[in-house]
Amino acid sequence: MRFVENAIGRPVPLEVPGFGAVIPYGGPFCRLGEEVPRVSPPMRGYPARRDKVTHDVEEAIRRSGLESGMTVSFHHHLRNGDAVMCRVLEACERLGIRDLTLAPSSLTDAHEEVSGFVRRGVVRMIHTSGVRGEVGKAISRGELEVPVVIHSHGGRARAIEEGSIRIDVAFLGAPKCDRMGNFTGMLGRSACGSLGYAQQDARYARHVVAVTDDLSEDPLGVVSVPQYLVDQVLVVDSLGDPRKIATGAARITRNPVDLKIARDAFRLILASGLMEDGVSFQVGAGGASLAVARYVREHMSAKGIRGSFGCGGVTGYMAQMLEEGLFRVLYDVQSFDASVTGSMLRNRNHVEIDQSWYANPLNRGCVVNHLDVVVLAALEVDVDFNVNVLTGHDGVLRGASGGHCDTAAGSKLSVVVLPSFRGGVPSIRERVGCVVTPGETVDAIVTERGVCVNPRCVDLAESARRMGLCVKDIRELKEEVERLTGVPREVEEDRSRVVALVEYRDGSVIDTVFRVDC
Amino acid sequence: MRFVENAIGRPVPLEVPGFGAVIPYGGPFCRLGEEVPRVSPPMRGYPARRDKVTHDVEEAIRRSGLESGMTVSFHHHLRNGDAVMCRVLEACERLGIRDLTLAPSSLTDAHEEVSGFVRRGVVRMIHTSGVRGEVGKAISRGELEVPVVIHSHGGRARAIEEGSIRIDVAFLGAPKCDRMGNFTGMLGRSACGSLGYAQQDARYARHVVAVTDDLSEDPLGVVSVPQYLVDQVLVVDSLGDPRKIATGAARITRNPVDLKIARDAFRLILASGLMEDGVSFQVGAGGASLAVARYVREHMSAKGIRGSFGCGGVTGYMAQMLEEGLFRVLYDVQSFDASVTGSMLRNRNHVEIDQSWYANPLNRGCVVNHLDVVVLAALEVDVDFNVNVLTGHDGVLRGASGGHCDTAAGSKLSVVVLPSFRGGVPSIRERVGCVVTPGETVDAIVTERGVCVNPRCVDLAESARRMGLCVKDIRELKEEVERLTGVPREVEEDRSRVVALVEYRDGSVIDTVFRVDC
């Protein structure tokens, strides 16, 4: 396999079997202005009052026209409780359908069985935002012949619209669905909040099956995906494990290291001067990242600051900030916990947004492109501020691209928070195992041992120092940590075997993941 | 010009300069099952935080790339108060842009000036649902070189999606718009309710300009058209005449003839057996048509009947029925009066729906395809139950196709209400001047002199008689009326000159309108 180096010195294979042209990453904004054709499914009219409802998975698959070699999609809004994907793949296997391309919005802990479908030839190729657990290991070991494509949330919207992911059949978990096919994630016993990713699939798939365990005889007034995008309504006993779908509200960490990091991240945001009326803001659901929201909230309340919008994967904590009037609007593409659902129903300004609205870099202006501040977690970073949220220190796939590179590129200030080491392994590396977010779009890194500001943000470093933050050169901090942990060994990769391509949001390839023993 | 006869014996020109293939109408459901390619505009990314706002119409037009010969679209949600279309066309004229194809959702009384733009060569071709007043006369006289294409609301959605209308630039009146481009019709000083037609244009136009007189510095939470479909935000002093935008709630007629017709239409609906729990229902805003809603409402309240959905162009009267719990949901593609706006804001179950959701016959199931009962007005009908809602008895264009043929085809029961004569001219003709809705999709006609049931609805005629309705053969009724009015003279048409093609909802041509002196 021949490789070239992309703009940040990462290897990109020139040709990948089963792919179109591979575009090496050339910088975060290279493809802006370029006209990219959009691919839409054909129309086909149905007779009036056609009954869309079926109760049999195999029958729904047969009616969908799904065949071996086609592409199926799913959403991951049901979190770790999702049973839809595996039930459908089981039924495909029973029907003798093989070599599928699996294109879910992401894979969660609920999808461990996917490794079995890979082994048995039901799934031949995967496009996803994340991979974890057994599936990550199976892919890292090279069990899939064709490399997995890792996309960001915005990148997936783009890929679907430009046709590099062409969904033949979308099987979309629909917590409440009426007989005409209108469905929502805000109601029903498997309610999960926003269905932003499902909305994207429904608009571009050739055939859409709404999978529900709560069929409404009345037409719905709260609609995430309208009937006219839905071919079939498949009624099943259950969409999955309700305890894992209805996860509790994400709580603020009590870990003192995370809290120290969060507090310093907040002070850095203050130092940036952005924390004023009209500020827009996104944080993740993770430890230090979500904890930043606590400091932001206290500050906004105390100073009477009113923000413009919060966005992203939304936690109950952000919903609470909306209800307290700290934001005008929440733009919600994915609800991280079940407490968000109630807020969406109560608050007209808690808005469900689709994946393109959230982060597609090639539309006329997505939400993340208007962000002031984003706080992001990371597995590791390097001295060029490149961020890895995908592979562990052993080189094994165990993370997700998510909205990481989308928000970093779109925001005015992107702050990455992480402990300086984990389990004796340092988080700041000469070169990260895998780049998901390019350093050019990262403004600062906050650890419990100090803050590193990207050298291109001279003013920010200056204000951070004036704020009393401990600002360190990133190489200096790296060496400081390595004095404690030692310099970790390089991962032994099998460079003859590509197991994943990491796409940047614009569809170019920012990094390549190779086979490792695991 | 060569013609063929379509399936209902109407002349269809085989070739029309400037058109693609002309498909003669072959029956209401001929194109179902056919795969029709869908055309989408390309993507093109913009830099983050780009300022979309401009205050100058000409500047907005220049930035849009609009050139002579291109297609521009507008919506008619601002009712008779709209100034957006004419202001934009004036600016085009100042910029020397000519030969435009004008593709608004419809033309209203606010668009009389369009005849001037036609005469001066700014507009060369028109696609619209309706034409009235001076514009209708100008077209009927043959002032446009190219025939106008008349479409239904559902037909327009289809035409835009299949690319027979390719919108280059959509100028969409946006009563409240934020700086990112999110806009809604539910707020702002020119609030007009639903923006269902604008939603269709925004998704398929190559370039979208939101035209607003109420720019919000805060991001919007109530969003009809999301930011990612909007290229520019053009701020103007006013979207038009607020008195004509904010028309009062449509009132029930006191005309005794209309009330008699309405009451009998209601009794016919009762006779059909459809007036039960779960009934879905649409009425127009016109005299007898809206008056039917009064009887329906009283009956539902008295009997404790709870309907499923109401839909369509929605009046305040229908919104009141929603608030009284007579319907679960209102699906609103267009608000007929300003009182509807408040209901949309108050009631989660008053749902804004786009044009495709409402009536596109070639999607996966539009709302009208699930209607039980629709009550429709008419200008004239013929002995084959064909309905004309487009040309007057003088052959001049003065009406609108609207959702007439869409709802007639989609509903279980379609009832046409009209007085048996108007101004001495009978409404029941041997052959209507122009067919918009084919008789095959019309179940009954109700006049003050009796009810005519389509011969294919044998059971309905029987139940109507049992209900005590005066059921008459349509030819018999025609003759009865003609004994009072005399038989009107045939209109003298210039058959060498086609001035309009009337499209059926599926894109086939159901009738041709010829030049007349006027």
Side-chain angles (χ1 to χ4, degrees):
Chain A
M1 207 174 250
R2 292 186 310 139
F3 292 89
V4 289
E5 274 194 4
N6 67 17
I8 54 167
R10 293 280 162 164
V12 175
L14 278 175
E15 281 159 31
V16 182
F19 277 74
V22 178
I23 308 169
Y25 170 77
F29 309 110
C30 270
R31 288 189 77 191
L32 299 187
E34 186 185 325
E35 198 166 276
V36 179
R38 191 191 309 258
V39 170
S40 284
M43 291 189 281
R44 187 200 302 270
Y46 287 108
R49 283 178 299 285
R50 180 180 60 101
D51 184 6
K52 292 185 179 183
V53 177
T54 174
H55 292 263
D56 185 71
V57 187
E58 294 182 23
E59 183 58 30
I61 293 171
R62 269 191 293 263
R63 285 186 196 169
S64 76
L66 185 69
E67 291 175 11
S68 293
M70 286 187 171
T71 297
V72 289
S73 85
F74 302 87
H75 66 67
H76 72 293
H77 292 294
L78 298 168
R79 300 179 274 264
N80 292 329
D82 177 53
V84 174
M85 184 192 298
C86 292
R87 292 227 181 125
V88 169
L89 291 177
E90 278 161 27
C92 289
E93 189 168 13
R94 286 197 300 276
L95 290 167
I97 296 171
R98 296 173 58 81
D99 293 334
L100 291 171
T101 293
L102 184 64
S105 49
S106 198
L107 291 167
T108 72
D109 292 344
H111 305 125
E112 291 283 275
E113 281 180 60
V114 166
S115 54
F117 294 114
V118 165
R119 239 167 263 137
R120 297 192 299 278
V122 180
V123 170
R124 185 170 174 272
M125 186 172 163
I126 300 176
H127 294 257
T128 180
S129 165
V131 269
R132 292 182 177 84
E134 279 312 309
V135 185
K137 281 186 197 157
I139 295 166
S140 289
R141 276 196 297 267
E143 290 194 12
L144 266 172
E145 257 178 64
V146 191
V148 167
V149 179
I150 302 293
H151 48 61
S152 72
H153 292 324
R156 181 173 189 264
R158 173 206 45 75
I160 289 172
E161 292 177 40
E162 73 175 2
S164 52
I165 297 175
R166 292 202 194 203
I167 302 168
D168 291 296
V169 187
F171 295 91
L172 302 176
K176 189 101 184 176
C177 185
D178 70 26
R179 287 187 167 272
M180 300 187 290
N182 296 298
F183 68 88
T184 180
M186 289 181 231
L187 303 167
R189 55 197 175 94
S190 301
C192 60
S194 175
L195 288 182
Y197 305 135
Q199 293 178 314
Q200 187 74 21
D201 296 29
R203 215 163 263 289
Y204 287 89
R206 284 180 70 93
H207 191 100
V208 173
V209 183
V211 185
T212 191
D213 57 0
D214 200 341
L215 182 69
S216 171
E217 293 298 329
D218 290 322
L220 293 184
V222 180
V223 177
S224 304
V225 172
Q227 61 189 66
Y228 72 87
L229 302 174
V230 176
D231 293 90
Q232 295 188 69
V233 176
L234 169 62
V235 181
V236 294
D237 290 341
S238 152
L239 295 186
D241 184 341
R243 290 164 306 172
K244 294 180 183 165
I245 294 171
T247 51
R251 289 222 197 95
I252 303 287
T253 179
R254 290 185 185 174
N255 176 319
V257 172
D258 281 345
L259 286 174
K260 154 83 174 141
I261 295 169
R263 185 159 169 75
D264 283 354
F266 163 67
R267 290 167 70 205
L268 184 71
I269 296 167
L270 273 192
S272 75
L274 291 168
M275 192 43 68
E276 293 191 345
D277 271 340
V279 66
S280 56
F281 186 66
Q282 175 171 338
V283 284
S289 176
L290 180 59
V292 177
R294 186 183 108 184
Y295 296 104
V296 168
R297 176 183 170 208
E298 286 169 2
H299 179 81
M300 290 175 82
S301 289
K303 302 280 178 188
I305 293 169
R306 187 158 181 199
S308 61
F309 68 85
C311 72
V314 166
T315 56
Y317 201 83
M318 291 289 281
Q320 203 179 326
M321 289 177 75
L322 176 75
E323 295 198 340
E324 290 167 358
L326 301 179
F327 293 110
R328 303 257 173 188
V329 184
L330 270 189
Y331 292 121
D332 188 342
V333 69
Q334 172 187 6
S335 308
F336 280 143
D337 58 58
S339 70
V340 175
T341 308
S343 164
M344 296 189 85
L345 279 173
R346 276 193 305 277
N347 300 306
R348 193 90 196 207
N349 285 338
H350 188 152
V351 184
E352 182 178 43
I353 62 170
D354 65 50
Q355 196 164 23
S356 197
W357 190 349
Y358 176 53
N360 180 353
L362 298 190
N363 66 20
R364 297 163 188 171
C366 56
V367 164
V368 301
N369 279 2
H370 290 269
L371 261 177
D372 289 325
V373 180
V374 67
V375 182
L376 294 161
L379 291 172
E380 52 179 24
V381 299
D382 70 21
V383 293
D384 297 319
F385 290 80
N386 295 314
V387 182
N388 175 12
V389 283
L390 191 62
T391 56
H393 58 83
D394 51 4
V396 175
L397 291 159
R398 60 162 49 104
S401 172
H404 206 284
C405 69
D406 298 308
T407 52
S411 61
K412 281 186 190 159
L413 177 70
S414 61
V415 180
V416 169
V417 291
L418 81 175
S420 63
F421 60 93
R422 287 189 186 95
V425 181
S427 309
I428 303 172
R429 311 296 297 268
E430 185 62 32
R431 190 179 157 89
V432 284
C434 166
V435 180
V436 171
T437 297
E440 187 178 340
T441 62
V442 174
D443 296 302
I445 286 159
V446 180
T447 74
E448 80 288 4
R449 288 178 181 274
V451 173
C452 306
V453 177
N454 193 317
R456 66 175 179 73
C457 310
V458 180
D459 292 351
L460 181 63
E462 196 44 53
S463 329
R465 274 192 203 95
R466 275 202 305 272
M467 179 69 69
L469 282 162
C470 170
V471 178
K472 288 179 177 167
D473 177 85
I474 195 160
R475 289 185 175 276
E476 218 173 88
L477 180 58
K478 169 174 166 285
E479 283 155 23
E480 178 186 329
V481 177
E482 283 174 352
R483 281 195 290 276
L484 295 166
T485 61
V487 179
R489 271 199 314 175
E490 285 292 307
V491 175
E492 279 183 34
E493 298 171 329
D494 171 3
R495 289 253 165 172
S496 71
R497 186 63 201 286
V498 174
V499 299
L501 294 176
V502 185
E503 270 193 2
Y504 189 59
R505 63 196 302 231
D506 66 2
S508 63
V509 175
I510 193 163
D511 211 346
T512 302
V513 183
F514 297 98
R515 204 186 72 76
V516 290
D517 285 327
C518 61
Chain B
M1 208 173 249
R2 291 186 310 139
F3 292 87
V4 287
E5 273 195 3
N6 67 17
I8 54 166
R10 294 281 163 163
V12 175
L14 278 176
E15 281 159 29
V16 183
F19 278 73
V22 178
I23 308 169
Y25 169 78
F29 309 110
C30 271
R31 288 190 77 191
L32 299 187
E34 185 185 325
E35 198 166 275
V36 179
R38 191 192 307 261
V39 171
S40 284
M43 291 190 281
R44 187 201 301 269
Y46 286 109
R49 284 179 297 284
R50 179 180 62 100
D51 185 6
K52 293 186 178 181
V53 177
T54 175
H55 292 263
D56 185 71
V57 188
E58 292 182 25
E59 183 58 28
I61 293 171
R62 268 191 293 263
R63 287 186 194 169
S64 76
L66 185 69
E67 292 175 11
S68 293
M70 286 186 171
T71 298
V72 289
S73 85
F74 303 88
H75 66 69
H76 72 293
H77 292 293
L78 297 169
R79 299 179 274 263
N80 292 329
D82 177 54
V84 173
M85 183 192 297
C86 291
R87 292 228 181 124
V88 169
L89 291 177
E90 277 162 27
C92 288
E93 188 168 13
R94 285 196 301 273
L95 290 166
I97 297 172
R98 296 172 59 82
D99 293 333
L100 291 171
T101 293
L102 184 63
S105 48
S106 198
L107 292 167
T108 72
D109 291 344
H111 304 125
E112 292 282 275
E113 281 180 61
V114 166
S115 54
F117 294 114
V118 165
R119 240 166 262 137
R120 298 192 298 278
V122 180
V123 170
R124 185 170 174 273
M125 185 171 162
I126 300 175
H127 294 257
T128 181
S129 164
V131 268
R132 292 184 177 84
E134 278 313 309
V135 185
K137 282 187 195 156
I139 295 166
S140 290
R141 274 196 298 265
E143 291 194 11
L144 266 172
E145 258 177 64
V146 191
V148 168
V149 179
I150 302 293
H151 49 60
S152 72
H153 292 323
R156 181 174 189 264
R158 173 205 46 73
I160 289 172
E161 293 177 40
E162 73 174 3
S164 53
I165 297 175
R166 293 202 194 203
I167 302 168
D168 291 297
V169 187
F171 295 91
L172 303 176
K176 189 100 182 178
C177 185
D178 69 27
R179 287 187 166 273
M180 301 189 289
N182 296 299
F183 67 88
T184 180
M186 290 180 230
L187 302 167
R189 56 197 175 92
S190 301
C192 60
S194 175
L195 290 181
Y197 305 135
Q199 293 178 313
Q200 185 74 24
D201 295 30
R203 215 163 263 289
Y204 288 88
R206 285 181 69 93
H207 191 100
V208 173
V209 182
V211 185
T212 191
D213 57 0
D214 199 341
L215 183 69
S216 170
E217 292 299 328
D218 290 322
L220 293 185
V222 181
V223 177
S224 304
V225 172
Q227 61 189 67
Y228 73 87
L229 302 174
V230 176
D231 293 90
Q232 296 188 68
V233 176
L234 169 62
V235 181
V236 295
D237 290 341
S238 151
L239 296 187
D241 184 342
R243 289 164 307 172
K244 293 180 185 165
I245 294 172
T247 51
R251 290 221 196 98
I252 303 287
T253 179
R254 292 187 184 172
N255 176 319
V257 172
D258 282 345
L259 286 174
K260 154 83 172 140
I261 295 169
R263 184 158 171 76
D264 283 353
F266 162 69
R267 290 168 69 206
L268 184 71
I269 295 168
L270 273 192
S272 75
L274 291 168
M275 192 43 67
E276 292 191 345
D277 271 339
V279 66
S280 57
F281 186 66
Q282 175 172 339
V283 284
S289 178
L290 180 59
V292 177
R294 186 182 109 184
Y295 295 104
V296 167
R297 176 184 170 209
E298 287 169 1
H299 179 81
M300 289 175 83
S301 290
K303 302 279 178 187
I305 293 170
R306 187 158 181 198
S308 61
F309 67 85
C311 71
V314 165
T315 56
Y317 201 81
M318 289 289 280
Q320 203 179 327
M321 289 177 74
L322 176 74
E323 295 198 340
E324 291 167 358
L326 301 179
F327 293 111
R328 303 257 173 188
V329 184
L330 270 188
Y331 293 121
D332 187 342
V333 69
Q334 173 187 4
S335 308
F336 280 143
D337 60 57
S339 69
V340 175
T341 308
S343 164
M344 296 190 84
L345 279 174
R346 276 192 306 276
N347 300 306
R348 194 91 195 207
N349 286 338
H350 188 150
V351 185
E352 182 177 43
I353 63 170
D354 66 49
Q355 197 165 23
S356 197
W357 191 349
Y358 175 54
N360 180 352
L362 298 190
N363 67 20
R364 297 163 188 171
C366 56
V367 164
V368 301
N369 279 3
H370 290 269
L371 262 177
D372 288 325
V373 180
V374 65
V375 181
L376 295 161
L379 291 171
E380 53 179 22
V381 297
D382 70 21
V383 293
D384 297 319
F385 291 80
N386 295 314
V387 183
N388 175 12
V389 283
L390 191 62
T391 55
H393 59 84
D394 50 3
V396 176
L397 291 159
R398 60 162 49 107
S401 172
H404 206 285
C405 69
D406 298 308
T407 52
S411 60
K412 282 186 190 159
L413 177 71
S414 61
V415 179
V416 170
V417 292
L418 81 175
S420 63
F421 60 91
R422 288 188 185 97
V425 181
S427 309
I428 304 171
R429 310 296 295 269
E430 185 61 31
R431 191 179 156 90
V432 283
C434 166
V435 180
V436 171
T437 296
E440 187 178 340
T441 63
V442 173
D443 296 301
I445 287 160
V446 179
T447 73
E448 80 287 5
R449 289 178 181 274
V451 173
C452 306
V453 177
N454 193 316
R456 66 175 179 74
C457 311
V458 179
D459 292 351
L460 181 63
E462 196 45 52
S463 331
R465 274 191 203 96
R466 275 202 305 272
M467 180 68 69
L469 282 163
C470 169
V471 179
K472 289 180 178 168
D473 177 85
I474 194 162
R475 289 186 175 277
E476 215 175 89
L477 180 58
K478 169 175 168 283
E479 282 156 25
E480 178 186 328
V481 177
E482 283 174 353
R483 281 194 291 274
L484 295 166
T485 61
V487 179
R489 270 198 315 174
E490 286 291 307
V491 175
E492 279 183 36
E493 298 171 330
D494 171 3
R495 288 253 166 172
S496 71
R497 186 62 201 287
V498 174
V499 299
L501 293 177
V502 185
E503 270 192 0
Y504 189 58
R505 62 195 302 231
D506 66 2
S508 63
V509 175
I510 194 163
D511 211 347
T512 302
V513 183
F514 296 98
R515 204 186 73 77
V516 290
D517 286 326
C518 61

